[in-house]
Amino acid sequence: MSQKNQNNENFRDSIGTITNEGKRAWVYPKKPSGRFYDKRKMVSYVLLAFLFGAPFIKINGNQFLMFNVLERRFNIFGFPFWPQDFHLFVVSMIIGVVFITLFTVGFGRIFCGWICPQTIFMEMVFRRIEYWIDGDRNKQRKLDKQEWNAEKIRKRLLKWFIFLIMSFLIANIFLAYIIGSDKLIGYVIDGPSAHLNTLFPLLIFTGVFYFIFAWFREQVCIIACPYGRLQGVLLDNKSIVVAYDHKRGEGETGRKKFRKNEDRATLGHGDCIDCLQCVNVCPTGIDIRNGTQLECVNCTACIDECDHIMESINLPKGLIRYASEDDIEKKEKFKITARIKGYIAVLTILIGVLAGMLLLRNDVEARILRLPGQLYEKKENNIISNVFTYKLINKTTTKIDNVSFKLRNFNGDIKLVSTTDDFSVPEQGIAEGTLFIELSKSVLKGDKNKLTIDVYSHNKLIETTTVNFLGPRSYH
């Protein structure tokens, strides 16, 4: 942290994008450029291609990624998760949270700057459109202040129209993740009027995305997203973050504007020439020289800008860089700390648990339950009958034919309340019905008997379940 602000932390009492009067302080970031920005563009475009393509990729007939919260059906990397698999989905989400936490402890908000969809859409899509239409920082400020003439109206209408189209496209892609790409394509072919109950939510989400990227912008990261506030808990002096080297930048007598042929080292001045370019290029409008702040998303724009300035005045690059506080203060390089080892251990255990659950998971799940309110029925020839309901869930994308039930280790009959003794389960569907189990009194060992029922398809065992069979208490 700079000497100027070392004893003055007042800037932390308010958000940089809000004025003292409580009004919005609009941020006009300078168009970034440099080696990190070029790498971020490559990463962003790969992730955008993945985001737009994932709903249309299928593995074994399953959508690669789908989060159908309406029907509680999820696909993660081609693995389908039904409501009965909710525990697996929860474990997967916990793994994701621990993974992000691990990287935050080690490398700060690298997720926000490089991977977060909000940052990618804002910085690599919408702001680039804005730079193309409105121009760079100074031109944008001038355009906002000028009167509403033909030029301003043309630029505003063009920008808002493109923003609206992009927001509508993003809303459709998110809809594909929710209802499935096949259903979305079917809705498009049928036309909007045929699915008004889907069109209206789609338009609402289009409006939400337009509001976020056209107006709310960096406020999502600063106000709405809780991740920035987690930094105070997760970061320590050994965490690698985008940091200003205040030791080098301030020197003994502080930073000073650049003067040609001046011997800054002899005068005790630091390498920071107070050009404010790191502030001008920041998409959240902060001064990185004040130290780690919740508004900083680690986007590296200030690193590129500062490196460019250092090159132009023949000073070493890296005044702003990826570094830890201990690296700046004590020249200690990054080490895997006990905290990081702990998170790695927890993450490894969770991944192992999830892998085991997935290996033990069946493609077909059977549930056979006693019909509520029914006990048992006595029939001729000392036969005891119980009535049950069954539900078979087919998690695969292929139809399962010739499904039948058989009792294991008991001589008895299972009779379906249908015209045939076997049935089929549709792909990614459910088959339900009622069945009777009839056993002789002589094989019962009490009023409650645990039975194992095997489920077969074409005489191949596909699932096993258990039920409690009730009999007369006298046989207990």
Side-chain angles (χ1 to χ4, degrees):
M1 185 181 298
S2 68
Q3 290 178 352
K4 180 180 177 181
N5 290 293
Q6 206 156 13
N7 299 317
N8 183 7
E9 294 282 309
N10 292 335
F11 71 93
R12 298 191 187 275
D13 296 335
S14 61
I15 297 173
T17 54
I18 303 296
T19 64
N20 293 332
E21 294 77 25
K23 296 181 179 180
R24 171 78 175 274
W26 197 266
V27 178
Y28 301 89
K30 180 182 177 182
K31 186 178 181 179
S33 62
R35 59 191 178 99
F36 279 111
Y37 186 65
D38 290 340
K39 291 176 182 177
R40 282 180 59 218
K41 282 196 293 187
M42 292 176 61
V43 172
S44 297
Y45 294 144
V46 169
L47 291 175
L48 283 171
F50 175 80
L51 179 69
F52 280 80
F56 304 97
I57 298 173
K58 292 190 177 181
I59 297 177
N60 296 325
N62 294 314
Q63 188 169 307
F64 188 69
L65 287 175
M66 185 174 74
F67 305 94
N68 191 340
V69 294
L70 304 176
E71 299 177 5
R72 295 179 296 165
R73 287 175 53 191
F74 307 91
N75 289 350
I76 299 178
F77 304 135
F79 287 100
F81 294 87
W82 287 65
Q84 294 77 13
D85 299 319
F86 189 70
H87 58 291
L88 297 176
F89 181 74
V90 170
V91 173
S92 300
M93 293 298 101
I94 293 174
I95 288 174
V97 171
V98 174
F99 186 78
I100 293 174
T101 301
L102 169 63
F103 267 80
T104 304
V105 171
F107 305 103
R109 292 180 71 174
I110 192 170
F111 172 84
C112 294
W114 291 75
I115 303 174
C116 177
Q118 162 67 20
T119 303
I120 291 174
F121 278 123
M122 188 68 252
E123 302 303 321
M124 297 300 172
V125 179
F126 287 88
R127 279 209 204 276
R128 287 179 67 83
I129 293 171
E130 195 165 57
Y131 290 134
W132 170 59
I133 296 173
D134 291 351
D136 209 341
R137 168 184 167 85
N138 292 333
K139 289 184 178 180
Q140 289 181 23
R141 293 168 68 94
K142 181 181 177 181
L143 185 66
D144 272 359
K145 292 179 180 178
Q146 79 179 43
E147 297 294 328
W148 281 90
N149 54 21
E151 179 196 14
K152 185 171 183 176
I153 293 173
R154 176 179 58 81
K155 288 185 176 182
R156 282 290 182 265
L157 289 178
L158 178 61
K159 183 175 73 172
W160 292 341
F161 176 73
I162 295 176
F163 278 11
L164 190 63
I165 295 298
M166 291 301 303
S167 299
F168 182 71
L169 179 61
I170 295 170
N172 274 274
I173 292 299
F174 274 80
L175 184 63
Y177 279 99
I178 296 174
I179 67 174
S181 57
D182 291 341
K183 190 176 288 188
L184 175 65
I185 292 172
Y187 286 0
V188 173
I189 294 173
D190 293 342
S193 59
H195 302 281
L196 293 177
N197 57 338
T198 302
L199 177 63
F200 288 126
L202 180 66
L203 294 178
I204 290 172
F205 275 100
T206 298
V208 170
F209 286 125
Y210 180 82
F211 169 76
I212 289 173
F213 295 117
W215 190 83
F216 205 48
R217 300 189 163 204
E218 71 282 343
Q219 305 297 313
V220 173
C221 306
I222 298 173
I223 298 174
C225 180
Y227 186 40
R229 286 157 179 79
L230 286 176
Q231 285 189 113
V233 178
L234 298 176
L235 297 184
D236 57 29
N237 289 343
K238 301 182 185 301
S239 301
I240 304 293
V241 295
V242 172
Y244 165 67
D245 189 341
H246 56 86
K247 288 280 189 180
R248 175 187 155 193
E250 305 297 315
E252 295 178 2
T253 58
R255 55 189 181 234
K256 184 187 177 185
K257 293 287 185 181
F258 178 74
R259 289 184 180 178
K260 195 173 182 180
N261 299 324
E262 183 180 57
D263 190 346
R264 298 177 66 87
T266 302
L267 295 173
H269 299 309
D271 285 354
C272 179
I273 62 172
D274 212 15
C275 62
L276 297 179
Q277 293 306 302
C278 59
V279 180
N280 293 339
V281 80
C282 179
T284 57
I286 65 168
D287 189 341
I288 192 63
R289 297 172 299 177
N290 289 333
T292 302
Q293 299 154 69
L294 71 87
E295 296 97 329
C296 179
V297 294
N298 280 209
C299 70
T300 69
C302 55
I303 297 180
D304 284 333
E305 197 66 24
C306 187
D307 283 350
H308 174 70
I309 296 296
M310 290 295 105
E311 277 186 318
S312 64
I313 59 174
N314 296 318
L315 288 175
K317 295 189 293 185
L319 180 59
I320 301 175
R321 63 183 187 273
Y322 274 120
S324 66
E325 185 65 23
D326 282 354
D327 181 15
I328 294 172
E329 291 282 356
K330 308 173 186 176
K331 303 300 179 184
E332 289 185 4
K333 297 303 178 184
F334 176 74
K335 295 179 181 178
I336 298 179
T337 62
R339 285 182 70 198
I340 294 178
K341 290 178 181 177
Y343 283 118
I344 291 174
V346 171
L347 187 62
T348 303
I349 292 170
L350 287 172
I351 291 174
V353 169
L354 180 62
M357 288 179 171
L358 290 174
L359 288 173
L360 295 174
R361 174 179 177 269
N362 288 337
D363 289 334
V364 178
E365 183 171 325
R367 288 192 176 185
I368 301 179
L369 303 172
R370 174 174 305 284
L371 192 65
Q374 298 292 323
L375 293 176
Y376 61 87
E377 181 183 356
K378 293 182 181 179
K379 292 191 172 183
E380 297 179 353
N381 300 321
N382 291 325
I383 296 298
I384 304 298
S385 176
N386 281 203
V387 60
F388 298 87
T389 59
Y390 67 85
K391 177 186 287 186
L392 261 67
I393 302 169
N394 180 6
K395 302 174 185 176
T396 70
T397 56
T398 56
K399 183 179 179 181
I400 301 176
D401 293 317
N402 297 105
V403 179
S404 59
F405 299 111
K406 293 182 182 179
L407 283 175
R408 184 188 297 181
N409 301 327
F410 272 92
N411 291 321
D413 294 325
I414 296 180
K415 296 181 178 180
L416 302 181
V417 182
S418 63
T419 56
T420 59
D421 290 333
D422 58 54
F423 56 94
S424 62
V425 189
E427 62 273 13
Q428 293 188 342
I430 297 174
E432 298 179 277
T434 305
L435 60 84
F436 291 93
I437 298 179
E438 297 181 351
L439 296 176
S440 173
K441 288 183 181 181
S442 60
V443 300
L444 299 179
K445 298 179 180 178
D447 58 342
K448 286 186 179 181
N449 298 264
K450 193 170 187 177
L451 306 181
T452 300
I453 299 177
D454 294 327
V455 184
Y456 287 85
S457 173
H458 294 287
N459 294 320
K460 179 183 177 182
L461 182 65
I462 59 173
E463 173 66 320
T464 299
T465 187
T466 58
V467 297
N468 285 321
F469 187 90
L470 298 184
R473 187 174 296 274
S474 59
Y475 287 92
H476 181 67

